[in-house]
Amino acid sequence: MPLTKDEINLMIKTAIETEKNAFLFKSKHAFGSAVLTTDGNIYGGCNIDGVISSQGSCAEVVALNNAVANGKYNIKAILVIDENEFVFPCGSCLQYLGQFFQTTNIDIEVVAAKVNGECKVKKLSQLLPTLYLSSSFDFKLKKYRNKK
Ligand SMILES: [Zn+2]
């Protein structure tokens, strides 16, 4: 089922609220993100800098991890918010999103939104057509489908 305008608006609201919590001492720009699960829950994320660069996280990863920490693995959509331009997730975040795609086989909707509500929506398969899918972990990933 395609994303509704109401779902997008709720994700925008969550992403704007969560962006305020960004933990930045290296980055110059705060980002907010929101994940919508197939059962209608929304989880926010903000970017988090790390003193050791590899320990920093994009807002999208934090939003996905927030969903997982709440026991939700079936992702319908992810949104990134920016004040002035349409920003889609980086390649690393798209690949991370891919393991949730592999769990459900739902082609996740990826939304680039501005605070004024304008948005562009693409599918994960459009943004990363060469997504790496793990054959060796496929069975274990599928166990998270519909997990309660
Ligand atoms: Zn990223």
Side-chain angles (χ1 to χ4, degrees), residues 33-35 43-46 58-68 78-79:
S33 179
V35 160
Y43 300 94
C46 56
C58 293
E60 300 92 315
V61 169
V62 174
L64 287 162
N65 290 351
N66 190 5
V68 169
I78 189 165
L79 175 142

Side-chain angles (χ1 to χ4, degrees), residues 118-134:
E118 285 181 83
C119 63
K120 289 184 178 178
V121 182
K122 293 184 184 281
K123 299 275 192 185
L124 176 61
S125 62
Q126 290 177 284
L127 293 169
L128 192 61
T130 56
L131 176 70
Y132 171 72
L133 299 173
S134 168

Side-chain angles (χ1 to χ4, degrees), residues 57-61 88-94:
S57 294
C58 293
E60 300 92 315
V61 169
F88 283 98
C90 73
S92 177
C93 284
L94 292 174

